[in-house]
Amino acid sequence: MGRRGSLPEPQSGLPSPCPRYKLLHPDSHMDVQGYRRVRWRVWLCRLGAALSLGLLLILFRWRQRLAVVARCRSCPLALADVLLLRDNCGHQYVVEVLAEEVDEGSAELALDAEESGEWRDTVQLHEEKKTLLRYYLFEGLRFVWLARKGSFCRVSVLNEDWTCNDLHRFRKGLSHREQSTRRQVYGSNLIDVPVKSYTKLLVEEVLNPFYVFQVFSITLWIVDEYYYYASCIFLISFLSISISLYETRKQSTTLRSMAQLISNVTVRRSSGEEACVSSVDLVPGDCLVIPREGMLLPCDAALLVGECMVNESMLTGESIPVLKTPLAVGEVRFDSESQRRHMLFCGTQLIQAKGGGSGGETATAVVTSTGFFTAKGDLVSSILYPQPINFRFYRDASKFLLFLGCVALFGTIYSLVILSRSNMTHSQLVIKALDIVTIVVPPALPAAITTGTIYAQRRLKKNGIFCISPPRINVCGKVSLFCFDKTGTLTEQGLDVWGVMEAVKGGFSELVPDPRLLPPGPTLSALACCHTVALLEGQALGDPLELKMIESTGWELTEPEGDGPALDSEFGGHRVLAVMRPPAAALQPNGVCVSEAVAIVRRFPFSSSLQRMSVVAAGPGGQPLVALVKGAPEMVASLCLRDTVPPQFSDTLRHFAGEGFRVLGLGYRTLDAGTDPSTVEREAVERDVCFLGLLVMKNPVKPESAEVIHTLRLAQLRTVMVTGDNILTAVNVARSCRMVGSEDRVIFVHAAPPSAQSAPVLRFHLGEGGPPSAQASVEVLTRGLYQSGVTYHLAVNGKSFAALCDHFPEYLPKVLMRATVFARMAPEQKTQLVTELQNLNYRVGMCGDGANDCGALRAADVGVSLSEAEASVASPFTSRSNNISCVPLLIREGRCSLVTSFSLFRYMALYSLIQFCSVLILYTMKTNLGDLQFLFFDMALVTLLAVVMGRGGPSQHLHPRRPPASLLTLPILGSLFVHTCVLVLGQVAALCITTSQDWFVPLNATTTGTANLPNMEDTSVFALSGFQYIIMAVVVTKGYPYKKPLYHNVVFLCSLLVLFGVMSWLVLHPGPVLGKVLQLYDIPDLNFKMLLVALAALNFLTCFVLEVMVDRGLLSCLRCLRGSRPSKKQYKRLDRLLAESPSWPPLNQPFASACFTDFGLS
């Protein structure tokens, strides 16, 4: 066994970009190293910590890997008591391996003695003198040691290979012994958010590198006799820590109260009895008995018997209740994502439950996941341990601090050389030199650059946009591509029935605009019964499409209450779930008479992967059972007998979809006599179906969509539609909302996976639309799309997208570069699309309603959920508006926040450099700034200006160019260098002008530092540097094109005027009292003072002109020296490559897969 192991990757699911992104799999790409403590090393570290007065422990806290290497030696994972985890983002974590004594029955936990697969493992426990279970906890998840695999695996791996039959076998319940055994292995069913004590929080906060540097600085200032300044900084730091501790504990307490759910539940035991137990004791395999009035679910469970109406708004932000139906029996591998319509998720509210089965058994479900392995635990974990934000601005900020550290090192060396010539002691020399470090590296810099984000978050909240991840606001400013869901996002949530086209012999009938005009028969029954709508207190709840469909028929939904047995006998003795009754004869159209009710006895809910739903219906008087199917027309047609599908099916579907209609296919099948609807499998119901016709529905585009999309395209932001609807409908909506221009061509991408007779193939074929002339079409085909001047867009469906990813990875980037419409996409494919676009270096935004888009919303750099909730864990941003008008606002605020962060960063850096230069100049003159002078600059000038600088709001328009995100670019570094040079020259000029005056009196050379105050040199440098702090606040505050002009920020403008007046007063006539307090020399020459003000004005004019010139490209000539370089972003390189390839994509030419070999055919 090696010393290094890795956590096993699941067989399905997408690779996670980062292991903290728990929507996929939390342990993918996690590297694990085992270590064992060495006693003499541990004691040696303790001795080192004592000798270093605890500094070694602080170092170990900052660098945990160093602590592990120092105290432990590497060993196999089987013997390790300390593990070092490292994810693919480079983050490292140290966890303790825990050993727990368990009962003998837990020595082998066999989930199925008869069957065993790769994941059907046995927990082999570490055998010592006692039976021990070895495991560790990481971010709330439990990982147990499996000797058979030679690694630590998530405890949930023990039930990941359960089949549907396995779950149904748990209907009998677990025995007390089995339950106890499983609890020892799985742990408690508790989402426990740690709430640390104030003492522990204080220690962790103080040991943060920022506050350690603060403590070092305050100690140094006190030793250097800067008592006022040190006291003020200490007070501010104390208040900051107190507020931070209070907010942190408050948030932890709130999250804990939201996450922790403890209640009493009823479980079934193997003996047949039902017991009331605490939800904390639940384990996977427990059989839950669900009360009729519903409950708040404390775990993830699969529904086995009955139906439940569930409110899942906590998870998805979707307020419409969802009907959950029983899981079918079968040897299919159980998967909670693909079988969501049978899953009851932790934290969701079960509004009501109905029993099922021929005996009227109460609704029951089997527990599948507990604790942090549940859906709610996953969401809580994403809040506690958010996905790291890979944003260049934050990376460059850290690098720039290292640069300032190098500047501080230079200043320290210079100070040592200059001050060593004076009569200072060695201790004073070291203190003065170290003081330079506290000046150059401003401890308030990290806090200052978040000011713009805080203001942006407040403005967003006022506009109904709520944010749970403030750092992502800056990321919004760099979004280059935005994906949009269609239904409910670009189009209205509700639909209107346009009409029904029945399949008749030889074709389709005329469009029947009112379904009530349909004759009695299976088509009318399908419209009335093929749904999952349920009643709650007499009100119909369900999918808006199905509600409209039922409303169009005029039929009434009723559900059995006290008359259940009577209804069962009325409809052939089958367990009735709901009854659809036709309208009264007086309400029916002339010539139509429908009198018989239809009972729904089994539901197979809609599945995104299957693209259909079905019900089993029964007529009164023992009539044969009928299966009614509704879904995507192509899918329904594929299930139908070929002779029942009209020859005009494809043309008719293409016509309606091309016009933007939502089209559903209908089918039916008479089931064999003796079929038991409670046990029949879905595959047996949905085969050999007879095609009934098409339901045509109008889904209008929201009025705001076209304008918003046009705004984004004018701003050079690429827009993409991702939907589960028909590809032609999606293309029509894309044209309606101006995502695809009226003159643009659409090219359909068709990729087919390999079959037994053929290899995978890829084709591009031209769709309809665009310029109507045949000549133009020929030109496109012969000369290439680029050469003909026609803009084109690719349209891809879910099947082709899957085939592209699996068999044509070499063409996938090119397709993604030109694709605008992605249709028939399953929820997991939406997530994969976002990830693939990010691999091309796009900053991807995603906007959806939160229902089927949760994965994509959380995977995107910027996810926006349209929901009525104030905040949703489905995405970082939640908008209360029901349209996409929030997207441009979010991008504008992001750009404003990013530019403000840049301005604040530059201002804080220039503030440090100004003060750094002032101190070095005064050190050279054997003096320094006074205690209160430092305090005046840092508190009254810099802090005030930094706080109010970020108040400026965003521009009203989106500029085509995005703001830069890197601090380490030529314009930024060049402007800092140029400004620093001008600022230094200004201070030197002020000093030279002072020393050249006839009345100048040199300071006392026998003393140094603040003992020489007041003096003329200090006063002149103080005067000019004070103006420079105000000057640079104006120069670095950028407005156009991302922010409103400076004069819109009234508070900032007033602060500038007031501070300029204060500085002018201090320079021209400070007065005896203020002059004494600030230790300023009273220079009687008014002309000299006016000269200093004029020098400050010249300094401002020079810096302002240079800043404008840098913005206009003054330093661009330096780039010519290095020559042109290709862009670092892959999508820009691909865009240029495609622009130079007029023959791509070649139309109607098959492509074979480069990675498909003869072995792949076998």
Side-chain angles (χ1 to χ4, degrees), residues 882-903:
N882 63 349
N883 57 69
I884 63 173
S885 59
C886 59
V887 172
L889 174 62
L890 189 58
I891 295 175
R892 286 191 286 112
E893 285 288 2
R895 291 182 174 185
C896 175
S897 174
L898 183 58
V899 170
T900 301
S901 298
F902 262 77
S903 299

Side-chain angles (χ1 to χ4, degrees), residues 903-922:
S903 299
L904 284 165
F905 192 95
R906 294 175 64 203
Y907 180 64
M908 296 301 291
L910 286 169
Y911 141 69
S912 298
L913 293 172
I914 291 171
Q915 202 165 88
F916 171 71
C917 296
S918 301
V919 171
L920 288 188
I921 290 172
L922 294 177

Side-chain angles (χ1 to χ4, degrees), residues 6 134 161 213 246 302 309 438 444 1062:
S6 62
R134 299 181 69 245
D161 203 40
F213 184 70
Y246 173 77
M309 183 65 71
T438 67
V1062 170

Side-chain angles (χ1 to χ4, degrees), residues 530-845:
C530 198
H531 57 78
T532 55
V533 175
L535 292 178
L536 179 62
E537 298 179 354
Q539 182 181 359
L541 297 176
D543 188 284
L545 181 150
E546 295 181 337
L547 291 172
K548 280 287 186 182
M549 183 179 71
I550 297 174
E551 180 186 345
S552 70
T553 63
W555 287 44
E556 181 184 1
L557 170 66
T558 60
E559 293 182 345
E561 293 183 2
D563 57 347
L567 277 177
D568 295 349
S569 60
E570 179 184 352
F571 292 96
H574 304 294
R575 174 72 174 176
V576 174
L577 302 177
V579 178
M580 298 301 301
R581 300 189 183 277
L587 300 177
Q588 296 187 22
N590 294 331
V592 177
C593 181
V594 184
S595 58
E596 288 190 349
V598 181
I600 302 172
V601 296
R602 182 70 185 275
R603 289 187 177 106
F604 296 99
F606 177 78
S607 168
S608 299
S609 57
L610 299 178
Q611 298 180 355
R612 63 181 182 271
M613 71 152 296
S614 60
V615 300
V616 178
Q623 296 180 23
L625 295 175
V626 176
L628 302 171
V629 185
K630 175 184 83 211
E634 308 94 329
M635 178 56 67
V636 173
S638 69
L639 301 173
C640 292
L641 299 172
R642 183 171 298 180
D643 57 348
T644 65
V645 181
Q648 304 90 347
F649 170 80
S650 298
D651 294 336
T652 305
L653 175 61
R654 189 179 299 111
H655 166 72
F656 283 116
E659 293 294 323
F661 289 98
R662 179 84 178 269
V663 185
L664 296 177
L666 303 173
Y668 86 104
R669 173 173 176 259
T670 303
L671 299 181
D672 299 332
T675 301
D676 184 356
S678 63
T679 59
V680 66
E681 296 185 0
R682 185 166 191 160
E683 291 75 11
V685 172
E686 298 172 347
R687 63 179 177 85
D688 299 334
V689 180
C690 295
F691 190 78
L692 288 175
L694 300 174
L695 171 63
V696 185
M697 307 189 81
K698 186 69 174 177
N699 188 202
V701 176
K702 292 179 181 179
E704 301 86 0
S705 297
E707 182 181 352
V708 171
I709 296 297
H710 182 63
T711 300
L712 296 179
R713 294 191 68 188
L714 288 178
Q716 302 299 316
L717 288 168
R718 189 177 159 199
T719 55
V720 170
M721 181 192 298
V722 190
T723 178
D725 207 345
N726 181 278
I727 192 168
L728 294 174
T729 303
V731 169
N732 180 274
V733 172
R735 290 192 185 277
S736 300
C737 65
R738 303 170 74 175
M739 198 175 284
V740 175
S742 58
E743 298 296 312
D744 296 349
R745 284 286 186 175
V746 175
I747 298 176
F748 293 97
V749 180
H750 176 74
S755 64
Q757 294 80 23
S758 62
V761 64
L762 172 66
R763 284 190 176 89
F764 300 90
H765 62 274
L766 195 64
E768 297 179 358
S773 65
Q775 183 179 356
S777 299
V778 172
E779 186 180 10
V780 170
L781 290 168
T782 55
R783 296 183 53 195
L785 293 160
Y786 280 106
Q787 292 177 336
S788 66
V790 176
T791 303
Y792 73 94
H793 303 262
L794 300 183
V796 190
N797 63 22
K799 290 183 178 179
S800 295
F801 178 74
L804 275 168
C805 295
D806 294 339
H807 305 290
F808 300 94
E810 68 276 16
Y811 292 105
L812 181 62
K814 291 184 178 181
V815 171
L816 293 178
M817 283 297 302
R818 293 293 182 256
T820 301
V821 175
F822 293 86
R824 293 288 187 225
M825 297 285 281
E828 61 273 11
Q829 288 182 314
K830 295 181 181 181
T831 306
Q832 186 177 6
L833 173 63
V834 169
T835 305
E836 294 291 350
L837 290 170
Q838 289 170 331
N839 292 338
L840 297 179
N841 304 126
Y842 276 112
R843 284 286 175 189
V844 181

Side-chain angles (χ1 to χ4, degrees), residues 359-373:
E361 185 180 351
T362 57
T364 56
V366 63
V367 178
T368 58
S369 300
T370 57
F372 275 95
F373 290 101

